[in-house]
Amino acid sequence: VQLQASGGGLVQAGDSLRLSCAVSGGTFSHLNLGWFRQAPGKERDFVAAISWSGSSTQYADSVKGRFTISRVNAKNTVYLQMDSLKPEDTATYYCAADLQGTWGPYLRSSYEYDYWGQGTLVTVSS
């Protein structure tokens, strides 16, 4: 399974940005998918996750109400719509795939994911 994240860039506080992650080499509709982020000098943190069917989502408290995760199985792509961006959202964002297919709060842990994309940098200026 390969993941390719894109859509990062430099924006101002309050702006919006949409990240995309194209997935290949696996059965996309069987994968739970997640977004994580890592700021310089910090650990990789959970941002959002979506179930294989798209019917369930989870969000970190810090982004709830501002970010929306979605997927289009026909395009093998997962998205992260980021609105009302803040300087503290600055980080490299990674998409990840979980092959197990079971949905639950454990998907907030990076250790549960089997494959990772290369990351896309988001910089939010104040």
Side-chain angles (χ1 to χ4, degrees):
V1 177
Q2 295 180 327
L3 299 93
Q4 181 74 39
S6 62
L10 172 63
V11 297
Q12 293 185 334
D15 284 352
S16 297
L17 204 59
R18 188 177 79 159
L19 305 183
S20 300
C21 178
V23 181
S24 61
T27 304
F28 184 80
S29 60
H30 291 180
L31 302 174
N32 294 323
L33 298 163
W35 285 98
F36 289 75
R37 66 187 182 186
Q38 188 167 18
K42 296 188 176 181
E43 295 185 349
R44 189 170 297 189
D45 291 331
F46 170 76
V47 175
I50 188 166
S51 63
W52 59 270
S53 66
S55 61
S56 298
T57 57
Q58 300 180 43
Y59 294 95
D61 289 343
S62 59
V63 306
K64 197 174 295 182
R66 299 189 298 121
F67 289 12
T68 303
I69 188 171
S70 62
R71 64 191 293 162
V72 178
N73 285 356
K75 294 185 177 181
N76 286 7
T77 302
V78 59
Y79 302 97
L80 185 68
Q81 176 68 40
M82 304 185 294
D83 298 320
S84 303
L85 282 161
K86 304 175 181 180
E88 50 263 44
D89 294 319
T90 294
T92 298
Y93 284 71
Y94 298 89
C95 54
D98 164 50
L99 299 180
Q100 304 310 312
T102 303
W103 182 252
Y106 71 91
L107 287 168
R108 293 173 177 262
S109 170
S110 62
Y111 293 103
E112 298 299 331
Y113 291 82
D114 303 289
Y115 295 94
W116 291 83
Q118 85 291 357
T120 184
L121 178 62
V122 174
T123 304
V124 184
S125 64
S126 58

